[in-house]
Amino acid sequence: MKVLMLNGSCNVDGSTRCGLDVMARTFAECGIESEIVNVGNKPVQDCIGCGKCAEKKQCIFSNDGVNEFVQKAYDADGFVFASPVYYAHPSGRIQSFLDRVFFSSMSADRYAAFKHKPGAAVVVARRAGTSASFDVLNKYFGIAKMLVVGSTYWNEFHALTKDDVPQDEEGVQTLENLAWHMAWLIKCLKAGRDAGIPLPDIREEVMTNFVR
Ligand SMILES: Cc1cc2nc3c(=O)[nH]c(=O)nc-3n(C[C@H](O)[C@H](O)[C@H](O)COP(=O)(O)O)c2cc1C
């Protein structure tokens, strides 16, 4: 059982990474493997809405890790999307990255790599903008038939640099509880599958452009 975590900061070793390391340690205590993927500090292409992913079954832009992330997602049992707060929103690079991950995944096979799996957003800021950023990242889960995991507070912690992270004791506790919660849910889902509980009977044939 494995959790795939996305570090949406251009700093591969900054505050965001430090928070994900807290979660990785907790996952390990629970017997759950984890992997951190970095969006990195190179330019990340935004989605251009070309729709070519429907025929190619992957994004046409293949030089920045988006298609590799989707491939890894098929084998993952849970997801954490983490970002620093930039002007009260998630980093532009994580939004560009995830827009292409989810649009190509929807076009390829209706979110098969993500559906019925737990996901959690995590945000870090020096001071403010966390709730707005958290809301943005949570949107990906709802549309992809995923299960949103909570903690003992909204999944946020406060730090200007990674050295500040341990001082935010409640933030660290929130991350640890989030990881415990996700690990427990992953085990429950496996127990359900092993017991033969069928997947939900989801209808997807209706898709309207207007509400009248
Ligand atoms: C361009 C930019 C915008 C930022 N905007 C905010 C903000 O709106 N609110 C805030 O509290 N911190 C803000 N910060 C601070 C970062 O969120 C904070 O330093 C965070 O720990 C960086 O995470 P990282 O080390 O993983 O990159 C901003 C930092 C940068 C570089």
Side-chain angles (χ1 to χ4, degrees):
M1 290 176 283
K2 180 172 176 179
V3 174
L4 190 58
M5 303 201 279
L6 184 65
N7 175 5
S9 172
C10 53
N11 299 314
V12 297
D13 191 27
S15 316
T16 311
R17 170 63 192 244
C18 196
L20 290 178
D21 285 342
V22 169
M23 293 191 70
R25 282 195 292 276
T26 312
F27 282 131
E29 284 171 26
C30 298
I32 302 279
E33 200 187 327
S34 64
E35 177 182 350
I36 298 173
V37 173
N38 298 297
V39 296
N41 58 11
K42 301 278 187 317
V44 177
Q45 170 71 48
D46 198 2
C47 179
I48 60 168
C50 66
K52 297 252 172 55
C53 44
E55 63 187 73
K56 294 191 175 301
K57 305 300 179 197
Q58 64 172 19
C59 183
I60 55 163
F61 300 112
S62 54
N63 61 347
D64 56 12
V66 163
N67 291 329
E68 289 79 1
F69 187 84
V70 175
Q71 285 311 307
K72 285 177 188 284
Y74 284 100
D75 296 326
D77 301 286
F79 301 90
V80 177
F81 300 155
S83 178
V85 170
Y86 281 2
Y87 291 96
H89 57 68
S91 72
R93 60 188 55 247
I94 198 172
Q95 292 182 78
S96 294
F97 192 96
L98 288 176
D99 280 1
R100 286 173 44 228
V101 162
F102 278 85
F103 198 69
S104 61
S105 177
M106 182 270 291
S107 302
D109 51 17
R110 289 184 170 263
Y111 305 114
F114 297 93
K115 68 179 181 181
H116 313 313
K117 297 178 183 177
V122 169
V123 292
V124 54
R126 182 187 71 83
R127 190 163 182 84
T130 44
S131 297
S133 305
F134 183 60
D135 284 350
V136 172
L137 292 177
N138 271 310
K139 300 294 195 309
Y140 295 103
F141 308 129
I143 202 165
K145 299 164 267 188
M146 296 174 71
L147 310 166
V148 180
V149 184
S151 183
T152 36
Y153 201 83
W154 299 304
N155 308 333
E156 62 182 60
F157 60 106
H158 292 268
L160 177 62
T161 68
K162 67 175 180 178
D163 295 334
D164 298 330
V165 174
Q167 294 179 64
D168 181 5
E169 289 181 33
E170 185 173 356
V172 171
Q173 177 181 265
T174 301
L175 296 174
E176 289 170 344
N177 287 337
L178 177 63
W180 279 111
H181 211 176
M182 185 178 283
W184 170 79
L185 183 55
I186 287 171
K187 290 174 186 175
C188 289
L189 289 166
K190 181 176 184 314
R193 283 195 303 275
D194 292 348
I197 294 177
L199 290 171
D201 185 16
I202 285 175
R203 291 180 48 214
E204 297 193 71
E205 63 273 20
V206 178
M207 191 172 170
T208 52
N209 291 340
F210 305 102
V211 177
R212 294 178 198 277

